[in-house]
């Protein structure tokens, strides 16, 4: 049993100023238990605030732009800069737990534009957050309210990125962190972050879904605050990705935003932000928000196709894109509502399609982890289906940094990624994307000869 905390066992922080709305029955309640579910119907809760709709959109845009010139920590955060549409921060802004997250770039993708025939193609790279993933945007908000409530321990189940982010923000906020990860199914790069930030890390002999089930039992018995994406404070922070993206586009919405689908909290958060921005008057229309999953972890795809979105079709998740290797996504109902509200699509892509898309994004000089690359692979499918039109503007959300899973990248370029798998023979078509290291004697002529061979092998390559 961890040390006691000021909050009672199994209870959430003091939330008297917040209202929670059930995504199922629509009930509005003033406090939430640790499982963040509606006491009436069991669906997940989200934070609601009717005062947000009364904000002046022109004044908000001006205020948010002005804060980019200020030097207080709360203004330097690309999340808290948008605090008028977030749960109110603590009375003392010094209590905000921040690592100056957000402020991530929006890149044009000229080579991928040529490959896909989509001239207005962009990537919003959340992998350039402090711990290397989009999780930081939500963690700063959730960790802040955990700290304000007096929790000493925070915890999460994770496939890697959540554990790294939570451990960092817990350390920054003077709290202890407990990480539950599936043994052998997490990138060592991600696990090393949690270790370095001081987390008590437990590798459990189960998958992510088993880790999450155990965590939910734990928080009912111990004074530990859950920081997985079912926590609505997490989603409030993650929705600022959309605020920042639209600001970067001068508040002109793209036609499509495409996101990876794992536990589905991020797509839910972005969708919530889009609806709020439309209601406030910040944007005139909604982009279509689409979710792409790996074929081996396609719970949402199957839920829509086989169950008509009425019930979750769980799967035994298996994909090398470890960040989305989740078979029982907690936020599936929220994601379904977002797809319906925005008119988005849900598609799946193969391991080969993921690997090729990752290499193509890398050829832009932009590195991302495998889970992020499902967005480009999915875009190609949506183009073939006619759902996305070439003349439309498309934003791909890249959720994690390349350095989150360098083993994947090295195995791909060495030709080992699909060795002894069902994809081994077919993967030969990816050889043109591989750039393995060349071992040479330390002789100038050998280097020059290799350089000449490389030039002949790619005579059309030119600066963009």
């Amino acid at each position: 049993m961890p040390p006691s905390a000021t909050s009672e066992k199994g209870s959430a922080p003091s939330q008297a100023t917040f209202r929670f709305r059930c995504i199922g029955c629509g009930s509005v309640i003033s406090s939430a238990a640790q499982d963040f579910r509606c006491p009436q119907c069991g669906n997940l809760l989200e934070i609601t605030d009717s005062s947000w709709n009364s904000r002046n959109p022109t004044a908000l845009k001006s205020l948010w732009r002005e804060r980019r010139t200020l030097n207080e920590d709360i203004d330097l955060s690309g999340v808290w800069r948008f605090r008028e549409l977030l749960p109110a921060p603590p009375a003392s802004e010094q209590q905000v737990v921040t690592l100056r997250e957000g402020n991530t770039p929006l890149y044009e993708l000229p080579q991928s534009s040529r490959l896909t025939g989509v001239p207005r193609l962009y990537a919003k790279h959340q992998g350039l957050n402090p711990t290397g993933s989009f999780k930081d945007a939500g963690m700063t908000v959730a960790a802040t309210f955990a700290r304000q409530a007096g929790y000493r321990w925070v915890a999460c189940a994770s496939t890697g990125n959540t554990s790294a982010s939570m451990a960092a923000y817990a350390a920054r906020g003077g709290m202890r962190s407990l990480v539950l990860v599936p043994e052998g199914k997490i990138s060592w790069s991600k696990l090393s972050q949690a270790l370095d930030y001081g987390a008590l890390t437990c590798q459990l002999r189960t998958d992510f879904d088993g880790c999450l089930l155990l965590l939910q039992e734990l928080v009912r018995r111990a004074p530990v605050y859950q920081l997985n994406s079912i926590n609505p404070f997490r989603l409030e922070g993650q929705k600022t990705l959309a605020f920042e993206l639209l600001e970067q586009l001068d508040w002109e919405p793209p036609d499509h935003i495409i996101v990876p689908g794992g536990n589905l909290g991020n797509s839910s958060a972005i969708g919530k932000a889009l609806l709020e921005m439309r209601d406030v008057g910040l944007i005139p229309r909604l982009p279509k928000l689409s979710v792409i999953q790996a074929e081996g972890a396609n719970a949402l795809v199957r839920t829509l196709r086989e169950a008509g979105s009425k019930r979750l079709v769980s799967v035994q998740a298996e994909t090398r894109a470890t960040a989305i290797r989740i078979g029982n996504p907690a936020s599936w109902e929220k994601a379904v509502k977002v797809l319906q509200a925005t008119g988005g699509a849900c598609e799946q892509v193969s391991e080969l399609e993921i690997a090729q898309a990752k290499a193509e994004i890398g050829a832009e000089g932009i590195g991302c982890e495998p889970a992020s690359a499902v967005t480009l692979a999915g875009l190609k499918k949506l183009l073939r289906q006619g759902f996305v039109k070439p003349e439309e503007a498309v934003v791909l959300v890249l959720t994690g940094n390349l350095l989150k899973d360098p083993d994947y990248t090295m195995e791909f370029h060495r030709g080992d990624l699909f060795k002894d798998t069902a994809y081994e023979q077919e993967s030969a078509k990816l050889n043109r994307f591989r750039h393995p290291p060349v071992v040479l004697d330390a002789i100038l002529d050998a280097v020059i000869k290799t350089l000449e061979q490389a030039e002949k092998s790619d005579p059309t390559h030119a600066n963009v």
Side-chain angles (χ1 to χ4, degrees), residues 161-422:
N161 285 330
T162 300
S163 65
S165 182
M166 184 198 69
Y169 281 83
R172 191 69 173 174
M175 296 174 285
R176 299 292 307 279
S177 58
L178 170 67
V179 166
L180 306 180
V181 296
E183 184 183 32
K185 298 178 181 179
I186 176 176
S187 162
W188 286 110
S189 298
K190 298 175 184 177
L191 187 58
S192 67
Q193 289 182 276
L195 301 179
D196 217 35
Y197 303 143
L200 171 59
T201 304
C202 301
Q203 293 182 272
L204 305 184
R205 297 185 183 94
T206 183
D207 56 12
F208 168 81
D209 301 303
C211 292
L212 186 58
L213 282 174
L214 192 148
L215 174 62
Q216 290 170 341
E217 294 177 13
L218 170 68
V219 297
R220 286 193 287 267
R221 296 179 54 185
V224 177
Y225 189 50
Q226 182 175 183
L227 286 182
N228 278 92
S229 60
I230 64 171
N231 184 317
F233 290 96
R234 275 273 311 273
L235 299 195
E236 290 302 300
Q238 284 171 217
K239 76 183 186 184
T240 59
L241 177 160
F243 300 159
E244 187 174 271
L245 168 62
L246 269 296
E247 184 182 59
Q248 290 168 321
L249 293 172
D250 291 327
W251 302 101
E252 178 60 33
D255 297 288
H256 297 271
I257 298 175
I258 302 177
V259 299
N263 212 27
L264 302 176
N266 202 35
S267 53
S268 305
I270 296 171
K272 185 174 188 289
L274 294 175
L275 292 168
E276 290 173 356
M277 283 190 286
R278 181 198 61 185
D279 293 344
V280 171
L282 289 164
I283 57 175
R285 59 179 175 83
L286 292 175
K288 292 181 174 69
L289 181 67
S290 294
V291 177
I292 310 299
Q293 296 193 295
E295 282 183 352
N298 61 350
L300 183 61
V301 173
R302 295 188 59 181
T303 293
L304 295 169
R305 295 178 183 178
E306 299 174 19
S309 74
K310 301 300 182 185
R311 60 177 177 82
L312 176 65
V313 179
S314 299
V315 301
Q316 186 66 43
E318 188 54 52
T319 173
R320 283 297 302 268
T322 56
I324 54 174
R325 187 162 55 194
I326 297 170
N328 188 36
S331 296
W332 71 272
E333 289 164 301
K334 290 184 178 181
V336 167
K337 289 185 178 297
V338 165
L339 291 175
Q340 293 171 342
T342 66
C346 184
E347 191 49 84
Q348 61 185 354
V349 292
S350 71
E351 296 297 299
L352 287 175
E353 289 171 321
I354 295 170
Q356 179 174 332
K358 183 180 181 304
E360 289 169 347
I361 293 171
E364 305 272 6
I366 299 170
C368 67
E369 68 174 340
S372 296
V374 302
T375 54
L376 179 57
L379 169 62
K380 296 176 187 178
K381 277 198 166 182
L382 296 179
L383 281 164
R384 291 195 295 269
Q385 295 166 6
F387 181 79
V388 176
K389 307 295 190 298
E391 66 273 13
E392 293 179 317
V394 180
V395 175
L396 310 178
V397 176
L398 308 182
T399 48
N401 196 291
L402 178 147
L403 297 177
K404 287 287 190 173
D405 197 349
D407 289 344
Y408 181 103
T409 305
M410 292 303 298
E411 288 179 36
F412 174 80
H413 288 289
R414 287 172 174 162
D416 298 332
L417 185 63
F418 297 109
K419 189 176 181 181
D420 299 326
T421 72

Side-chain angles (χ1 to χ4, degrees), residues 54 104-105 112 114 125 230 392:
S54 62
T104 58
S112 297
R114 288 197 296 270
H125 202 342
I230 64 171
E392 293 179 317

